[in-house]
Amino acid sequence: MPTPTLISLDAMGGDHGPPVVVAGVRDYIRRHGGEGVRFLLHGDETAIVEELAKANLTSDVCDVRHTDKKIGSGEKPAQAMRRGKGSSLWNAIEAVKSGEAGAVVSGGNTGALMAISKLILRMSAPGLERPAIVASWPTLRGVTAVLDVGANIESDAEQLVEFAIMGEAFHAAVHGVDKPSIGILNVGSEDMKGHEEVREAGRILREGGLGLNYRGFVEGDDIAKGTVDVVVTDGFTGNIALKTAEGVARFISALLREALTSSLQAKAGAFIAMPALKAMAGKIDPSAINGGPLLGLNGIVVKSHGGADAKGFGNAIRIAVDLARSDYMKTVGANLGRLDDVLHQPSPPPVQAQESLS
């Protein structure tokens, strides 16, 4: 009988702690089935066991590791690293480092999660400096992976290519697309557009022989169109794009709600259109795409929104399970090795000028 996939959970992370984490486990099992998956919950045993009883989840599915120590949402990364040992977040990540768990999910402090994950797991390749956060973005064609969306404020050409490699492997593992197409976010699609690092990253992806399905530069509106499967950018630009899209989605939802309740006639129309409206709401529901993996670590770490509900946390668990069961780590390692060869191959010797015959 195959060994179950074990997912380590920071039960004290996020705005709600054990009630949402345990309900998220139940939601995952309800929607995806629990066969071949077990969960290891770290935190206050009394609070966790109480929620497990409410959810009718037994020790056949969930184990509990007690700690009364947790990291607060307001703690700075340096402070969290100094005093975080033995906390629910720290212990959850340690389970991945030891090989006991295949992945960890936390809705806790993002800065602390990144810092402690990097400290415990280390980066998966010597050249990588920090993890990249990837967002699964709903589009007209399905879902597009966008990275980085907040971990790296500035990124040079090599880092952008690394994001492309990691984003490709993530999209294939989680969204099931063979040879995902890749584009770099830019102010135009022409090769001469953008700053030097973006142009150089495009050149490496185009000429470096990395075997990636690179389609060139894409613009901001191409994200929602789903022009490519993976959009690569620095964390500063990616975070602004993500927050802008979230704000526009809320604005449109508010306008639509106002319009559909403005009169009896509008309410009648809304009632008739309800199935289509529910389908639309499901498409842009943040819970349906919750779960941002920290790519580039020597282990799988998934960040859930701190305010996620049970459905949202269950989706973050699904992403963790999919990555843990995939060849994601192996694929990224192989492609980063090829990138290293491309970047550090010796320059060809200078061509000797031939002397003219007298």
Side-chain angles (χ1 to χ4, degrees):
M1 186 174 180
T3 303
T5 302
L6 184 66
I7 305 299
S8 183
L9 304 176
D10 170 19
M12 310 309 292
D15 298 345
H16 310 291
V20 161
V21 171
V22 173
V25 171
R26 183 183 57 193
D27 178 83
Y28 171 82
I29 294 172
R30 180 181 60 80
R31 288 191 289 133
H32 304 288
E35 186 176 353
V37 185
R38 286 181 54 81
F39 300 94
L40 181 59
L41 286 75
H42 301 264
D44 184 331
E45 184 173 15
T46 301
I48 296 170
V49 169
E50 181 180 340
E51 294 301 325
L52 289 174
K54 292 178 184 177
N56 198 28
L57 295 173
T58 67
S59 58
D60 292 338
V61 177
C62 299
D63 289 327
V64 180
R65 297 277 173 84
H66 174 72
T67 177
D68 54 7
K69 191 173 182 181
K70 66 178 182 179
I71 293 175
S73 60
E75 290 191 41
K76 294 181 178 179
Q79 182 183 13
M81 285 193 293
R82 284 196 303 271
R83 63 169 299 277
K85 192 168 186 178
S87 65
S88 58
L89 175 59
W90 187 290
N91 293 351
I93 298 168
E94 280 279 9
V96 174
K97 173 64 182 299
S98 69
E100 182 180 17
V104 58
V105 182
S106 174
N109 183 323
T110 302
L113 178 64
M114 289 186 59
I116 294 174
S117 295
K118 183 179 177 183
L119 177 67
I120 294 175
L121 298 175
R122 306 296 182 183
M123 301 304 293
S124 61
L128 294 176
E129 294 182 9
R130 297 185 68 188
I133 302 175
V134 59
S136 294
W137 203 299
T139 72
L140 293 175
R141 294 179 57 242
V143 176
T144 290
V146 181
L147 74 163
D148 180 22
V149 292
N152 302 270
I153 298 303
E154 294 181 352
S155 300
D156 60 22
E158 183 175 346
Q159 286 176 309
L160 292 173
V161 177
E162 289 166 352
F163 295 167
I165 289 170
M166 295 187 292
E168 183 214 37
F170 164 80
H171 199 80
V174 172
H175 300 299
V177 176
D178 185 40
K179 295 296 290 182
S181 56
I182 301 166
I184 298 178
L185 190 61
N186 201 351
V187 294
S189 58
E190 300 85 357
D191 287 344
M192 74 286 298
K193 290 289 184 71
H195 56 69
E196 182 180 348
E197 299 297 343
V198 165
R199 295 198 305 273
E200 175 62 9
R203 185 196 66 77
I204 295 172
L205 288 171
R206 193 169 52 248
E207 303 172 5
L210 296 173
L212 302 180
N213 183 12
Y214 177 61
R215 300 288 182 85
F217 295 142
V218 295
E219 299 182 66
D221 61 338
D222 286 309
I223 300 177
K225 290 178 184 176
T227 303
V228 293
D229 298 311
V230 179
V231 172
V232 172
T233 186
D234 61 81
F236 182 85
T237 306
N239 190 265
I240 290 175
L242 179 65
K243 297 294 175 60
T244 301
E246 290 174 346
V248 170
R250 285 192 292 269
F251 172 67
I252 292 174
S253 295
L255 286 181
L256 187 61
R257 190 179 303 109
E258 181 181 343
L260 293 175
T261 58
S262 60
S263 66
L264 287 176
Q265 186 177 12
K267 289 178 181 179
F271 179 78
I272 296 171
M274 190 58 66
L277 292 172
K278 285 184 176 180
M280 174 185 169
K283 181 82 172 177
I284 62 174
D285 180 8
S287 296
I289 58 170
N290 179 53
L294 275 60
L295 305 184
L297 293 163
N298 192 27
I300 296 167
V301 178
V302 177
K303 173 68 173 74
S304 170
H305 286 304
D309 58 11
K311 180 182 176 182
F313 199 86
N315 194 69
I317 291 174
R318 179 193 64 80
I319 290 174
V321 172
D322 288 347
L323 285 175
R325 289 176 167 173
S326 74
D327 291 329
Y328 163 75
M329 297 295 295
K330 187 185 300 183
T331 301
V332 168
N335 284 341
L336 287 175
R338 286 202 294 273
L339 175 60
D340 188 64
D341 292 340
V342 168
L343 294 174
H344 301 103
Q345 60 185 344
S347 301
V351 179
Q352 298 284 334
Q354 187 177 10
E355 292 183 359
S356 58
L357 297 174
S358 55

